[in-house]
Amino acid sequence: MEKHKALNSEYIIDGTRLESTPAELLDECLEEVSPRRRKDCPKAGDIADESLDKPLKTTIFRKEEIDRYAELATGGGERAFELAYPEQFTRQRIAKALLDTIWKAGHFTLGDLSLRLDWKWNSGKLGAMAAFRLSASAAADYIFELDSAISSYSFEDGCGDCSLEVGVEGCDIDDSCLHDIDEGDTDDWIIYIPFDTCPHRLGASVLARQLGSNGDTAPEINDPDWFMDCYEVVRELVEDGIVTGGATVCDGGLMAALKHCFSDAQVNISGISQSYGEKDSIRILFGEVPGVLIRIRDVDYDYVDSQMLLQDIAYYPLGHPSAPGSGLSITDHSKPAISSILDSLLNVATEGED
């Protein structure tokens, strides 16, 4: 399919006409657009397609296989576009690209960044053109609501898998990265900050694809105001040197980020479980809600806490790095209430004896 036709056609998806073309949607977010652009690119007719149904096959996940799941979820490489989840996957790609900049040197804010969007597409795949139109719409809406802009976009038809590549540009970004999260003291804190308020789900995740099952909804990443608040706070902490290490949480979920960054650590995810009301630890660990892991010194904990509270940002202290060679230990159990009460009583009794 010609690039001109893919970008400048009106789409009929599932029998419903969507009047704006992908080019019209994306042009609204361009940093600079020629006043003759639309005149030079007239509409190229209609494209009719059907959106794909979500996969029905489900997998029963078992906690005892979490190590195997971790190996599957940490596989690198370029990800194929999830055609059954075009809007969710597009927002996730944009969020990840922006999060990867948060660790860069230089002085910049989210509003200083612009994005390059390159769709490499196989228009012959079932549902591919419907997915492209929905992806373009989701990208334009999300970028606009993030108060960001598109520097350029492109569509290239070919064969093989469909993909969306997202790049980020900014005049004050230094390509050097400041932080290595796996270096520091065992008193340091490991903190998880999700950059969206959606629940953790496994649809469209690396783990689901590796297991050949997408029988779950995907994270509905669509809270740009939350993302902007989180980005502002974490970016300031990075620039001020409070964050001594950092890693993006996205592909492979929280578990992939932990495995990549902490070969030795004691981590407890019970706080996340309680906050989200989520009993399935597999969803929490492998659901791909964009976010960050940060490492801070113990002496800076109260300051970080105050900054998070000031902006009303939810964050989750997961634990501390442990001694070299001890390995990564993950638990999802909080201390029983009765134990907490007994501890308090014992502390009071001890203080009374002094």
Side-chain angles (χ1 to χ4, degrees):
M1 178 175 293
E2 295 179 2
K3 167 187 174 182
H4 174 78
K5 184 171 177 61
L7 287 169
N8 294 285
S9 294
E10 288 187 357
Y11 283 67
I12 303 171
I13 301 178
D14 300 332
T16 300
R17 177 177 292 276
L18 307 177
E19 293 185 356
S20 297
T21 69
E24 288 173 336
L25 294 169
L26 296 167
D27 283 352
E28 293 296 327
C29 297
L30 278 176
E31 289 180 307
E32 298 181 7
V33 57
S34 167
R36 294 179 54 82
R37 181 183 180 96
R38 288 183 186 148
K39 183 178 179 180
D40 294 339
C41 297
K43 291 183 180 179
D46 296 339
I47 294 176
D49 199 6
E50 302 290 323
S51 56
L52 293 180
D53 293 331
K54 303 296 184 291
L56 297 176
K57 182 180 178 182
T58 60
T59 297
I60 298 175
F61 295 97
R62 307 179 189 279
K63 288 184 179 181
E64 57 268 25
E65 294 193 66
I66 195 169
D67 289 338
R68 181 172 76 90
Y69 298 156
E71 292 299 320
L72 293 173
T74 52
E78 193 68 29
R79 294 184 66 176
F81 194 95
E82 295 287 347
L83 294 176
Y85 306 87
E87 295 150 310
Q88 298 94 328
F89 191 75
T90 298
R91 289 190 289 266
Q92 184 197 75
R93 293 297 88 194
I94 292 169
K96 180 184 183 300
L98 291 171
L99 284 174
D100 284 342
T101 68
I102 211 167
W103 318 116
K104 300 291 187 178
H107 178 68
F108 58 90
T109 65
L110 188 61
D112 297 322
L113 307 177
S114 60
L115 298 109
R116 304 184 313 276
L117 306 174
D118 299 304
W119 283 271
K120 296 183 178 180
W121 225 243
N122 182 347
S123 60
K125 278 183 174 287
L126 179 66
M129 295 316 296
F132 168 65
R133 172 55 174 77
L134 294 171
S135 175
S137 178
D141 288 345
Y142 195 48
I143 291 170
F144 177 80
E145 291 168 350
L146 285 170
D147 198 24
S148 191
I150 295 174
S151 58
S152 65
Y153 63 85
S154 68
F155 177 93
E156 178 183 340
D157 197 12
C159 58
D161 288 328
C162 300
S163 67
L164 169 60
E165 297 179 4
V166 182
V168 181
E169 298 175 347
C171 59
D172 292 324
I173 296 179
D174 188 324
D175 284 338
S176 63
C177 203
L178 295 177
H179 305 288
D180 182 352
I181 200 169
D182 205 19
E183 292 183 359
D185 194 277
T186 54
D187 289 332
D188 291 350
W189 282 94
I190 304 167
I191 294 175
Y192 168 55
I193 307 168
F195 274 50
D196 200 277
T197 53
C198 64
H200 296 74
R201 294 293 183 266
L202 295 173
S205 66
V206 172
L207 179 61
R209 176 173 279 265
Q210 291 279 31
L211 293 174
S213 169
N214 263 327
D216 196 356
T217 56
E220 293 288 345
I221 303 159
N222 202 18
D223 194 341
D225 290 334
W226 183 267
F227 187 101
M228 289 189 288
D229 288 344
C230 291
Y231 192 100
E232 178 184 356
V233 172
V234 175
R235 180 64 201 158
E236 288 181 0
L237 293 174
V238 169
E239 286 198 29
D240 292 343
I242 302 299
V243 172
T244 62
T248 299
V249 177
C250 191
D251 293 348
L254 179 60
M255 173 59 90
L258 286 167
K259 290 284 287 186
H260 177 71
C261 301
F262 290 103
S263 53
D264 304 295
Q266 297 284 334
V267 170
N268 189 319
I269 63 170
S270 62
I272 309 173
S273 301
Q274 293 170 9
S275 178
Y276 282 86
E278 177 59 72
K279 296 180 180 180
D280 188 348
S281 59
I282 302 298
R283 280 183 170 182
I284 291 172
L285 289 170
F286 296 97
E288 296 176 349
V289 176
V292 298
L293 281 176
I294 62 172
R295 180 171 184 156
I296 64 170
R297 304 174 191 89
D298 182 60
V299 69
D300 291 323
Y301 185 92
D302 288 343
Y303 175 74
V304 171
D305 175 68
S306 68
Q307 295 305 299
M308 298 296 178
L309 289 175
L310 186 64
Q311 295 295 330
D312 198 25
I313 291 174
Y315 71 98
Y316 302 93
L318 299 184
H320 307 274
S322 53
S326 58
L328 176 62
S329 173
I330 298 176
T331 60
D332 61 354
H333 300 294
S334 60
K335 186 178 292 186
I338 187 65
S339 298
S340 299
I341 294 171
L342 289 173
D343 284 349
S344 298
L345 292 173
L346 287 171
N347 288 335
V348 170
T350 303
E351 290 173 2
E353 290 174 0
D354 294 339

